[in-house]
Amino acid sequence: MNASAATIASMGAKEITMDASAMYLVHKCSAEFFQWASLNADQLAEQIKDLSQLKTDLEKIDANVASLYANRCGKKKEELLDLMKVGGWLNAEEAKSWGFVDAVTNDDEDEAPVLTDAVASAMAAVGMPIPNVPVQASSQFQKLLAALTDFFKSGKRKEPEAQANQPKPTITMKKFPLLAAVLLMAEAAAELKDGKFEMNEEQLGQIEAALKAAADKETQLTASHNEAIQAKDQEIQTLKAQIEELNKQPGDSTTHPVNDGKVQESTPMDDFCARLNAAQKLYDLV
């Protein structure tokens, strides 16, 4: 839906195309106005003066916009002003007949997007979720995945010839982003020979080191998390003990002045409020 000021912006294009299912809206300009007041004659006169100026300004803007439309559409300005006065949505063919657009299109849907293995691997390496779209088969990484597929199938029983001729689904690592990131470490030095993927001891060591580093990091994070929880629990227990100790102590003997100038001893309610405030402060610390 192309409407209002957006139609003015489109006037600067050399060629304007519009989809067959799109809509187009032109209308006269307007300004926000709301008044709720009690006015005397002088105030009404001032209000009428301001509104008259606003009306003049809007008419100038309408004339200017109509001229822009007329130059584009090849029609008279008065015709465009009449259309703007009526307002309402135009469909694609109506917009074309007026001259707002040069052509109406009905293009096919865009092709489904695909990810290159480089983009998918980069997303996996930083922990970004990989969208559920096909991964483009191109480089060594895809060959690596195919070789891994053959490796895991090697221990299964031989399929019947009819099934063996059926196309195999393409394997992607979208469900295993961490594994994809680790395998990428050895991709540069990996070799694919006779349909088999081979890794030397150094490459296997890289994968082992990456997995061990990830496991160590998780262990450290878990330990730090547990220590933080224990420290917080200890702090809470200490504060609870302090609150219980305060509840056992008698209230402070306080006095406060009253309106008649005499001094009055604290009441049980004063003691209760003092304990409550002290407990609230300790609770806020937790």
Side-chain angles (χ1 to χ4, degrees), residues 64-77:
N64 192 28
V65 173
S67 295
L68 289 174
Y69 288 155
N71 290 335
R72 180 80 194 199
C73 299
K75 297 181 181 296
K76 295 181 180 180
K77 183 175 71 174

Side-chain angles (χ1 to χ4, degrees), residues 7-71:
T7 64
I8 301 174
S10 69
M11 294 294 101
K14 292 183 178 180
E15 182 181 4
I16 304 175
T17 62
M18 181 175 179
D19 190 81
S21 60
M23 301 294 288
Y24 200 93
L25 173 65
V26 295
H27 58 81
K28 297 193 72 173
C29 299
S30 61
E32 182 178 349
F33 174 77
F34 179 80
Q35 182 73 30
W36 180 265
S38 177
L39 305 179
N40 60 32
D42 295 334
Q43 293 169 332
L44 283 172
E46 188 67 24
Q47 186 73 28
I48 291 172
K49 179 181 177 182
D50 292 341
L51 291 177
S52 297
Q53 182 61 50
L54 178 60
K55 177 176 179 293
T56 300
D57 292 341
L58 290 177
E59 288 173 344
K60 288 181 180 179
I61 297 174
D62 286 334
N64 192 28
V65 173
S67 295
L68 289 174
Y69 288 155
N71 290 335

Side-chain angles (χ1 to χ4, degrees), residues 20-279:
S21 60
M23 301 294 288
Y24 200 93
L25 173 65
V26 295
H27 58 81
K28 297 193 72 173
C29 299
S30 61
E32 182 178 349
F33 174 77
F34 179 80
Q35 182 73 30
W36 180 265
S38 177
L39 305 179
N40 60 32
D42 295 334
Q43 293 169 332
L44 283 172
E46 188 67 24
Q47 186 73 28
I48 291 172
K49 179 181 177 182
D50 292 341
L51 291 177
S52 297
Q53 182 61 50
L54 178 60
K55 177 176 179 293
T56 300
D57 292 341
L58 290 177
E59 288 173 344
K60 288 181 180 179
I61 297 174
D62 286 334
N64 192 28
V65 173
S67 295
L68 289 174
Y69 288 155
N71 290 335
R72 180 80 194 199
C73 299
K75 297 181 181 296
K76 295 181 180 180
K77 183 175 71 174
E78 290 73 20
E79 295 181 79
L80 274 303
L81 278 172
D82 290 340
L83 177 65
M84 293 165 59
K85 182 177 181 179
V86 174
W89 289 98
L90 303 176
N91 60 32
E93 290 298 334
E94 290 172 333
K96 181 182 177 183
S97 66
W98 272 96
F100 290 111
V101 298
D102 301 306
V104 176
T105 60
N106 192 12
D107 297 331
D108 296 333
E109 293 293 332
D110 294 337
E111 295 182 2
V114 296
L115 286 178
T116 62
D117 54 354
V119 173
S121 302
M123 295 175 66
V126 296
M128 291 178 62
I130 300 177
N132 187 24
V133 297
V135 177
Q136 182 180 6
S138 57
S139 70
Q140 186 75 3
F141 182 61
Q142 197 70 18
K143 297 177 181 178
L144 168 62
L145 298 182
L148 286 174
T149 305
D150 293 337
F151 172 78
F152 287 114
K153 287 182 177 179
S154 61
K156 297 182 180 181
R157 62 181 177 83
K158 186 176 181 180
E159 297 179 351
E161 183 176 354
Q163 295 182 7
N165 293 330
Q166 296 296 324
K168 300 295 189 301
T170 302
I171 184 172
T172 67
M173 298 299 285
K174 290 182 292 185
K175 295 183 178 180
F176 311 102
L178 295 180
L179 178 58
V182 172
L183 291 176
L184 262 184
M185 297 179 60
E187 177 188 351
E191 294 184 0
L192 189 66
K193 296 180 179 179
D194 299 328
K196 295 182 180 180
F197 179 74
E198 296 181 357
M199 280 189 179
N200 56 36
E201 185 174 354
E202 180 182 357
Q203 294 165 344
L204 292 174
Q206 291 177 355
I207 295 179
E208 177 66 19
L211 293 174
K212 186 177 184 303
D216 292 344
K217 184 177 181 180
E218 182 177 359
T219 301
Q220 293 175 0
L221 291 175
T222 302
S224 299
H225 181 67
N226 292 336
E227 290 177 1
I229 292 177
Q230 292 176 1
K232 188 60 66 176
D233 287 341
Q234 183 62 38
E235 184 180 352
I236 292 174
Q237 294 301 324
T238 301
L239 292 173
K240 285 183 177 179
Q242 293 177 2
I243 293 174
E244 292 177 358
E245 186 64 26
L246 285 174
N247 289 333
K248 295 177 182 179
Q249 297 176 3
D252 295 337
S253 178
T254 60
T255 60
H256 59 84
V258 294
N259 293 335
D260 57 5
K262 297 180 181 181
V263 176
Q264 181 178 340
E265 295 293 332
S266 62
T267 64
M269 179 58 70
D270 294 329
D271 296 338
F272 171 78
C273 291
R275 289 195 181 97
L276 179 62
N277 290 333

